[in-house]
């Protein structure tokens, strides 16, 4: 199981990608990149993440493309599963296997964006072309209007409008107006916009859940849940792999229990071999010492006599005979 530890960062990334804000940003980036590849910037002037003030607060538009063929107002939905809905429904349905959820009709959501741009630019509604683009692996399971499409159809929809309604000077004027009226694309702007949405829709944060500073922002973005899941997964892996003992060892030592070490692994005993006769002959004591002197480790005090030499030779021969009798034949 230990080699599977590298899966933890991958699981954390998957959880982060599931956050609504991250999914929305990812879908908007896909639309922007496809527009860069397929739509000439000299004809289609792009604006991404446009936040504008209106009479009730602020509105955030994912993409605006200004061209001589009109102003394209694009709402991005990065979703998977089956999508059911009709143009007049207040809510649409998303189905992923047996899980069903409902979300606001993006066509109605985009109507407000278009109205804000009409008021800002002082142009008739016929000059605007609202479009809803699904950027994930979603499948549209009901008949949808022409201005609801998948990412692969996004550029073809814009190219289908071939009748000019603006001059080049009009396009430059519209672009300057949008650039001068949009709020800075910062975290503070997005945070204020979310607060404005909560105020308009009556969503209030309970006092017990109010937080402050960066911690509140992280928890509001859903990062707290991701961190909890990551810590829980790490604890499970440590338990399964026995790594929890390594984690608890400093606490055991602090409490005075000391670390419990495993007994050393001893090698299997090597069988003793009986020394050969040649080795034993090399170990024969010198003839100049007596048995008592050899046992005591004392040197000979005088040269051995002939009788002592015979006795020493007899004792050595007797020892060799005993050893040869006890040594098995090879």
């Amino acid at each position: 199981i230990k080699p599977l530890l590298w899966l933890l960062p991958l699981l954390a990334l998957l959880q982060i990608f599931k956050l609504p804000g991250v999914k929305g940003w990812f879908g908007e980036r896909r639309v922007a990149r496809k527009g860069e590849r397929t739509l000439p910037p000299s004809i289609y002037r792009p604006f991404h993440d446009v936040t504008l003030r209106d009479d009730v607060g602020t509105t955030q538009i994912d993409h605006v493309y200004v061209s001589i063929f009109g102003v394209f107002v694009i709402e991005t939905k990065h979703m998977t599963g089956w999508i059911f809905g009709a143009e007049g429904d207040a809510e649409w349905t998303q189905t992923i296997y047996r899980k069903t959820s409902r979300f606001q009709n993006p066509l109605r959501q985009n109507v407000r964006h278009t109205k804000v741009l009409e008021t800002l630019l002082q142009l008739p509604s016929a000059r605007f072309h609202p479009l809803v683009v699904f950027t994930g692996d979603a499948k549209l399971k009901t008949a949808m209007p022409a201005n609801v499409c998948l990412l692969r159809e996004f550029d073809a929809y814009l190219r289908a409008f071939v009748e000019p309604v603006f001059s080049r000077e009009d396009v430059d004027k519209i672009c300057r107006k949008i650039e001068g009226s949009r709020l800075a694309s910062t975290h503070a702007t997005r945070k204020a916009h979310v607060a404005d949405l909560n105020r308009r829709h009556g969503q209030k944060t309970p006092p017990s859940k109010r937080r402050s500073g960066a911690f509140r922002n992280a928890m509001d973005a859903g990062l707290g849940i991701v961190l909890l899941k990551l810590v829980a997964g790490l604890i499970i892996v440590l338990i399964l792999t026995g790594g929890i003992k390594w984690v608890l060892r400093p606490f055991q030592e602090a409490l005075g229990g000391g670390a419990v070490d495993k007994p050393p692994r001893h090698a299997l005993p090597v069988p003793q071999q009986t020394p050969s006769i040649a080795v034993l002959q090399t170990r024969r004591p010198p003839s100049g010492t007596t048995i008592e002197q050899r046992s005591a480790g004392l040197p000979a005090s005088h040269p051995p006599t002939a009788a002592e030499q015979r006795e020493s030779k007899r004792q050595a021969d007797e020892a060799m005979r005993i050893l040869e009798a006890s040594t098995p034949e090879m």
Side-chain angles (χ1 to χ4, degrees):
I1 301 178
K2 288 183 179 180
L4 299 180
L5 288 175
W6 65 271
L7 288 175
L8 289 178
L10 179 60
L11 294 176
L13 288 177
L14 291 177
Q15 292 297 327
I16 292 175
F17 280 130
K18 290 182 180 180
L19 298 177
V22 176
K23 289 195 298 183
W25 175 86
F26 188 72
E28 293 173 15
R29 285 301 306 159
R30 294 191 67 183
V31 171
R33 292 183 61 183
K34 186 172 180 61
E36 292 172 359
R37 294 194 307 266
T38 60
L39 299 175
S42 59
I43 300 177
Y44 300 92
R45 307 273 291 274
F47 296 89
H48 308 296
D49 190 17
V50 179
T51 304
L52 300 172
R53 297 188 184 278
D54 57 6
D55 53 348
V56 295
T58 59
T59 187
Q60 190 270 335
I61 309 173
D62 293 337
H63 312 277
V64 178
Y65 284 86
V66 182
S67 73
I68 59 175
F69 309 111
V71 180
F72 298 89
V73 186
I74 301 173
E75 173 67 19
T76 300
K77 291 296 180 183
H78 189 71
M79 305 179 73
T80 59
W82 291 358
I83 306 298
F84 301 88
E87 184 175 3
D89 294 342
E91 293 182 332
W92 288 4
T93 303
Q94 177 192 30
T95 302
I96 304 177
Y97 299 107
R98 296 185 179 182
K99 181 181 178 182
T100 300
S101 58
R102 302 183 68 83
F103 60 98
Q104 182 184 2
N105 184 342
L107 289 173
R108 291 191 174 188
Q109 188 178 358
N110 213 21
V111 167
R112 171 173 160 77
H113 300 162
T114 305
K115 293 296 182 182
V116 171
L117 281 174
E118 289 179 11
T119 303
L120 173 67
L121 302 175
Q122 295 296 306
L123 295 172
S125 58
R127 301 290 189 269
F128 295 87
H129 308 297
L131 175 64
V132 175
V133 181
F134 284 88
T135 59
D137 297 329
K139 291 180 173 55
L140 308 179
K141 304 301 290 185
T142 54
M144 295 289 179
N147 60 339
V148 178
C149 67
L150 302 178
L151 178 63
R152 63 175 179 267
E153 306 161 340
F154 149 67
D155 58 320
Y157 179 85
L158 271 65
R159 292 175 181 273
F161 294 86
V162 295
E163 182 179 352
V165 294
F166 295 127
S167 64
R168 296 289 182 179
E169 292 76 13
D170 293 335
V171 171
D172 293 338
K173 182 179 178 180
I174 292 172
C175 292
R176 287 195 299 269
K177 186 67 174 179
I178 294 176
E179 190 63 41
S181 302
R182 68 185 299 185
L183 301 179
S185 182
T186 61
H187 173 71
T189 299
R190 289 187 288 271
K191 180 180 175 182
H193 175 63
V194 172
D196 180 67
L197 291 176
N198 293 336
R199 177 183 56 81
R200 282 184 298 172
H201 294 284
Q203 299 177 0
K204 296 182 180 179
T205 304
S208 60
K209 294 185 179 181
R210 291 175 184 169
R211 304 174 181 88
S212 60
F215 179 73
R216 180 186 61 187
N217 298 334
M219 296 300 290
D220 291 342
L223 295 179
I225 298 177
V226 175
L227 292 177
L228 289 177
K229 291 182 178 180
L230 181 60
V231 171
L234 180 60
I235 292 176
I236 292 175
V237 171
L238 288 176
I239 293 175
L240 294 177
T241 59
I244 195 68
K245 296 180 181 179
W246 177 80
V247 175
L248 295 178
R249 177 170 295 185
F251 298 98
Q252 294 177 351
E253 295 177 352
L255 294 176
V260 180
D261 296 328
K262 295 182 179 180
R265 296 181 179 180
H266 297 287
L268 295 176
V270 179
Q272 299 291 334
Q273 297 181 354
T274 304
S276 62
I277 297 176
V279 174
L280 290 174
Q281 289 177 350
T282 60
R283 296 179 182 176
R284 180 178 297 179
S287 58
T289 58
T290 62
I291 298 177
E292 292 78 6
Q293 290 172 338
R294 290 197 300 270
S295 61
L298 299 176
S301 56
H302 58 84
T305 62
E308 290 176 345
Q309 290 181 0
R310 288 194 298 272
E311 178 64 19
S312 177
K313 184 177 183 304
R314 186 191 66 78
Q315 291 179 359
D317 292 340
E318 181 68 17
M320 290 296 298
R321 184 182 64 78
I322 294 174
L323 287 175
E324 290 177 355
S326 62
T327 300
E329 296 183 359
M330 300 299 293

